Amino acid sequence: MDTGKNKACRKNEAPPLEVIRSFGFVSSSVGACLYANGNAFYISVPSGSGFTVFDAESLNVVMQCEEVREIGAIASCGETTFIAGLHMIHRYERGQLVSDIKVANETIFSMQIYGNFLIAMSKRKLFAFDISKCDTPRMACLEFSKTKLATSFCHPKGYQNKFIVGFEDGSLELWNISSEKLIHEFQSLKAASSVVATAESSVEHVVAVGLENGTIVILNVLADEVIFSLKQPSNLSALAFGSSTEP
């Protein structure tokens, strides 16, 4: 039997699940960027006409910038944030615009940072910029076949200067960004559905490829072999490997 005292105790207890902050209400459809700065982790989130940086543990707002008109992609490292706009990549230091990087006639929709390099992708090209220098010079530019539209890229572990690129026609290619040359077109993956996501794993030669129809393929890059595949019931838009050792 419940007593008034027990009811009062339960009333004062915190609920098992409580919303802290819902990014969907303050962010756009552009994907957020999770990154480390020292021992802390942060999340850069496009929001309205600018971007907001949250502390990943507390979800407190660390910094806001409301000066950006259009955001096609976002990437951050340390105190630096890169915003892809129309034919331009803007470089911000602690929320202050310090330089613009021109990418004439190209609309960047995906960016990632690897070491001292910012890798930026449009439908037709893949760019590499040296972010260790203040003017962020362009170091390389890969031009894909005119019959293909790129959708995703990743950097397989152990493959120096090499990137895997997925395309709308379901094909997958390995490129060397230093030589700006196509190295290999994978024969084991001739998908009937568009490649929408790729992800590197912590294991050498292994990447994941996500298809629009919900199929996930685990691929051995060196052998050009499908290790296994599975399919979820709904369409797929993104994927990633977890870092936990627990199954």
Side-chain angles (χ1 to χ4, degrees), residues 125-142:
K125 298 179 180 179
L126 188 71
F127 299 91
F129 302 94
D130 186 352
I131 62 176
S132 66
K133 299 178 181 179
C134 293
D135 58 345
T136 322
R138 192 178 81 182
M139 304 302 294
C141 176
L142 308 181

Side-chain angles (χ1 to χ4, degrees), residues 47-51 65-73 83-85 90 92 95 97:
S47 52
S49 60
F51 65 92
C65 178
E66 297 295 341
E67 301 177 355
V68 188
R69 294 182 180 178
E70 297 183 24
I71 300 179
I83 298 293
H90 309 289
Y92 289 83
L97 179 64

Side-chain angles (χ1 to χ4, degrees), residues 123-124 144-150 167-169 171 173:
K123 290 292 186 181
R124 301 289 187 185
F144 308 127
S145 169
K146 293 182 179 180
T147 62
K148 293 186 175 185
L149 297 176
F167 297 90
E168 283 188 1
D169 66 356
S171 62
E173 297 177 350

Side-chain angles (χ1 to χ4, degrees), residues 11 15 17 42 48 61 67 71 74 89 102 106 114 119 124-125 159 161 168 170 184 206 224 231 234 236 238:
K11 184 176 181 180
L17 296 175
Y42 300 91
V61 175
E67 301 177 355
I71 300 179
I74 187 169
I89 299 174
K102 293 182 179 180
E106 297 297 328
Y114 295 96
I119 309 299
R124 301 289 187 185
K125 298 179 180 179
Y159 285 69
N161 301 323
E168 283 188 1
H184 180 68
V206 176
D224 191 354
K231 188 173 183 179
S234 59
L236 187 145

Side-chain angles (χ1 to χ4, degrees), residues 80-107:
T80 306
T81 299
F82 295 92
I83 298 293
L86 184 62
H87 309 324
M88 192 83 68
I89 299 174
H90 309 289
R91 179 171 181 161
Y92 289 83
E93 299 287 348
R94 298 183 179 180
Q96 300 297 316
L97 179 64
V98 295
S99 63
D100 291 322
I101 309 165
K102 293 182 179 180
V103 282
N105 301 321
E106 297 297 328
T107 300

